[in-house]
Amino acid sequence: MANVKPLTQRNLWFERLMAILASVNLGLVLFDLSYVPWRDFYIRNLPQMTRIYDPIKGIEAHRETENYLATVDALTEQVSQTGLRSPQVATELEALRNLSGEMIDSNPFAAVDKSGTLEKIKNRMRDRIGVKSSKQAFSTFWSQAYLSKRGWNQEINFFNQTIRPLIITNYYRSIGENGELIDKFWRIDLPFVILFAVELLARSFYIKRQHPGFSWSNAILWRWYDLFLLLPFWRTLRVIPVLIRLDHARLLNLHPLRQQIHQGIVANFAEEITEIVVVRVINQVQGSIQRGELKHWLSQNENLRSYIDINNINEVEAIGSILVKTIVYQVLPKIQPEIAAILRHNIESAITQAPMYRNLHSLPGLEVMQTQLSDQLATQITANLYGAIVSATEDPVGAKLSSQLLQRFSEALGTEMQKKHVLSEIQNLLIDFLEEVKLNYVQRLSQEDLWKVLEQTKQLRRQPSVPPVQDKNSTALVRREGT
């Protein structure tokens, strides 16, 4: 949904008025769409509404069923005037028997998909008379003998309460010259469409003034959702602009719904994008190995591999240098006591296992002297080793020799790795390993509950940001590396 600037009180009331009008229009649209399916309910409970709205949908009383009910009404009037046994009543009953047979044969309910209603009428009449034939049931019901035996008032009340409401629901819907069912709802909808069209043009003119670089199409599409209010078809889509307008007018809070929709979209895309990105990276690595770039990398031949260097610095060597200096100047001084303890333990074990010590260990003071000797040896060895490491690091000649050693080691390792059987075996193993990663871990990525991941990201956003603490030693080390 589009972002909305803060509304003034005057603009807020205008937005609310237009949102209410759009809601009324949507209500009329939904009522119109539901009228025909729910007409049976309306005609039973709100008959006055059907008399008003039936002409809008082109609905008329069906002639056959209307004539049937008119004949029943004439029979009722005749019975009240001349009695049930009169010849006039016998004529009306015969007419009803004929009309009942015609209604069953022609099925006037089928034209409006209400054949089920006729089946209800037939079933109720069969149950009333106790026969299996619906025609026979109607013929028996509309006879002087049956009505006299069961009682006129009782049976006509049964018809009026049980059968008549079903027959009344039948109708005929007119068809226009275009071959479509008559529907005059556009006459009710047209004023709303004109109103919303004028409003959209006014808003587009205002947007174009605010953004001179916009074309008219861009200004209109700024409020794309209002276009649904102008369509004479797919009117149910008007629910979209109505909800947006109600939210803009602060009559409805759709923020939780928007957030849920956004999360759903992100979750669906994240799963697919994660798989695509990871699989593409693995495929590129596999392709590089299959093209023989592993051999080129091992041979350190710059002319054979298209590697892009952005700063003329060997990052691997620079990182190795930083790690070495960090270990030498920061880590080793802190772990000297532990190293000394390990050496002291080994020295004591070696002295204890010597045959001469086994013969002299009973002499007084020898154990104390052995402990002091172990401490001194361990401390001296640790100090000498650390000094040698520091000297090798700071001494230009030692640094050069160390560099030559590493270079020679890399060349020797690369030479051995380039042997056909070794390189081929390594390439095959790497390709198989990457394929297993795709089959196992990428599938786990897609199966991971992305909703939990989204919730974790929201929690991270809620947490106050803490400025990073810069380590003085690391800063000094970087400065020393830069110099």
Side-chain angles (χ1 to χ4, degrees):
M1 298 179 183
N3 294 328
V4 181
K5 295 180 180 180
L7 297 174
T8 63
Q9 190 67 21
R10 184 176 179 181
N11 292 338
L12 179 60
W13 282 109
F14 175 76
E15 292 291 344
R16 288 181 175 178
L17 174 63
M18 297 307 297
I20 292 173
L21 290 175
S23 301
V24 172
N25 178 245
L26 178 62
L28 291 173
V29 167
L30 296 178
F31 172 77
D32 178 74
L33 294 175
S34 67
Y35 181 77
V36 173
W38 290 7
R39 185 178 178 274
D40 291 357
F41 171 81
Y42 295 137
I43 202 171
R44 284 194 297 266
N45 299 280
L46 300 170
Q48 186 65 30
M49 179 183 293
T50 59
R51 284 192 286 271
I52 297 173
Y53 209 77
D54 274 357
I56 296 174
K57 305 301 289 185
I59 293 176
E60 303 173 3
H62 197 281
R63 294 177 183 178
E64 186 173 341
T65 53
E66 187 74 6
N67 183 39
Y68 190 94
L69 294 177
T71 305
V72 174
D73 292 338
L75 172 65
T76 304
E77 182 67 21
Q78 191 66 45
V79 170
S80 65
Q81 292 179 1
T82 62
L84 183 61
R85 292 290 184 176
S86 65
Q88 295 86 347
V89 170
T91 303
E92 296 291 344
L93 289 174
E94 184 179 0
L96 281 174
R97 287 194 293 270
N98 294 332
L99 291 175
S100 298
E102 292 177 2
M103 182 175 65
I104 293 173
D105 290 336
S106 62
N107 187 9
F109 297 85
V112 287
D113 296 328
K114 295 179 69 65
S115 296
T117 302
L118 178 60
E119 292 301 319
K120 289 181 182 179
I121 294 172
K122 291 158 59 176
N123 290 334
R124 291 181 182 182
M125 190 59 72
R126 282 193 290 256
D127 293 340
R128 185 70 175 181
I129 303 303
V131 295
K132 295 183 178 180
S133 172
S134 58
K135 287 185 178 181
Q136 183 181 353
F138 273 100
S139 179
T140 301
F141 185 84
W142 297 121
S143 64
Q144 288 179 321
Y146 176 80
L147 294 175
S148 299
K149 180 180 178 180
R150 298 294 299 266
W152 163 255
N153 291 330
Q154 176 179 334
E155 295 307 306
I156 198 65
N157 287 336
F158 160 77
F159 179 86
N160 289 331
Q161 295 174 5
T162 307
I163 305 299
R164 180 184 288 269
L166 295 176
I167 297 177
I168 288 177
T169 60
N170 190 37
Y171 61 88
Y172 171 77
R173 193 168 182 187
S174 304
I175 298 177
E177 294 181 355
N178 59 356
E180 300 291 336
L181 295 172
I182 290 179
D183 190 348
K184 300 177 182 178
F185 177 73
W186 64 270
R187 297 181 179 179
I188 300 175
D189 193 44
L190 183 59
F192 289 96
V193 173
I194 294 174
L195 174 63
F196 295 133
V198 172
E199 182 206 11
L200 180 59
L201 289 176
R203 289 181 184 272
S204 301
F205 177 75
Y206 176 76
I207 292 171
K208 192 170 178 8
R209 285 186 56 187
Q210 295 293 109
H211 305 276
F214 275 20
S215 63
W216 274 105
S217 59
N218 290 335
I220 293 175
L221 290 177
W222 184 278
R223 291 179 65 90
W224 57 270
Y225 46 87
D226 283 344
L227 295 175
F228 293 126
L229 296 172
L230 311 181
L231 297 179
F233 47 86
W234 298 341
R235 292 190 178 106
T236 52
L237 293 178
R238 297 184 186 184
V239 68
I240 298 174
V242 169
L243 290 177
I244 295 176
R245 284 170 174 263
L246 291 174
D247 184 50
H248 289 177
R250 302 174 188 170
L251 296 175
L252 186 66
N253 183 16
L254 296 181
H255 178 72
L257 177 61
R258 290 200 306 270
Q259 189 175 16
Q260 196 71 15
I261 292 174
H262 294 165
Q263 287 186 352
I265 294 174
V266 170
N268 291 333
F269 277 102
E271 179 177 342
E272 296 181 5
I273 291 174
T274 301
E275 291 182 357
I276 292 172
V277 171
V278 175
V279 170
R280 287 197 64 183
V281 170
I282 294 176
N283 288 341
Q284 289 179 359
V285 175
Q286 287 180 320
S288 299
I289 295 174
Q290 291 172 347
R291 289 191 298 268
E293 294 183 8
L294 177 62
K295 180 179 179 180
H296 300 162
W297 180 78
L298 290 173
S299 64
Q300 298 294 319
N301 191 341
E302 298 294 337
N303 296 325
L304 296 178
R305 58 191 180 104
S306 56
Y307 183 79
I308 301 174
D309 193 353
I310 61 175
N311 53 9
N312 295 324
I313 297 176
N314 190 330
E315 287 80 4
V316 177
E317 293 182 0
I319 293 173
S321 177
I322 293 174
L323 291 176
V324 169
K325 292 183 178 180
T326 301
I327 293 172
V328 171
Y329 293 106
Q330 304 295 333
V331 178
L332 289 180
K334 295 179 180 179
I335 64 173
Q336 279 189 10
E338 287 74 11
I339 296 175
I342 294 174
L343 290 175
R344 181 170 59 252
H345 172 71
N346 291 331
I347 292 172
E348 290 178 352
S349 299
I351 294 176
T352 303
Q353 294 175 3
M356 184 180 296
Y357 177 81
R358 295 175 184 174
N359 298 328
L360 300 176
H361 74 281
S362 58
L363 295 177
L366 181 62
E367 184 176 356
V368 175
M369 184 177 64
Q370 180 260 333
T371 302
Q372 294 176 353
L373 179 62
S374 299
D375 290 339
Q376 291 178 1
L377 286 174
T379 303
Q380 189 65 33
I381 292 173
T382 303
N384 292 339
L385 285 175
Y386 180 70
I389 293 173
V390 172
S391 299
T393 304
E394 296 178 348
D395 183 15
V397 178
K400 183 178 181 180
L401 293 174
S402 300
S403 177
Q404 291 176 353
L405 175 62
L406 292 174
Q407 183 178 1
R408 180 56 183 163
F409 174 78
S410 300
E411 292 176 355
L413 178 62
T415 301
E416 294 299 322
M417 294 286 287
Q418 289 180 53
K419 291 183 178 180
K420 186 174 182 180
H421 68 282
V422 177
L423 184 61
S424 176
E425 186 175 358
I426 291 177
Q427 287 179 343
N428 293 333
L429 289 173
L430 285 176
I431 292 173
D432 292 342
F433 171 73
L434 292 173
E435 192 66 29
E436 291 176 358
V437 170
K438 283 196 296 185
L439 295 175
N440 293 279
Y441 297 101
V442 176
Q443 185 179 5
R444 292 183 185 178
L445 285 174
S446 62
Q447 292 176 349
E448 187 177 1
D449 191 353
L450 292 174
W451 291 101
K452 292 182 179 180
V453 176
L454 291 174
E455 187 63 28
Q456 292 173 0
T457 56
K458 287 199 301 183
Q459 292 177 359
L460 291 176
R461 292 175 184 173
R462 296 193 195 105
Q463 294 178 356
S465 58
V466 180
V469 179
Q470 193 172 20
D471 187 12
K472 296 181 180 180
N473 295 329
S474 62
T475 303
L477 182 61
V478 172
R479 289 177 179 174
R480 186 161 59 244
E481 175 64 19
T483 56

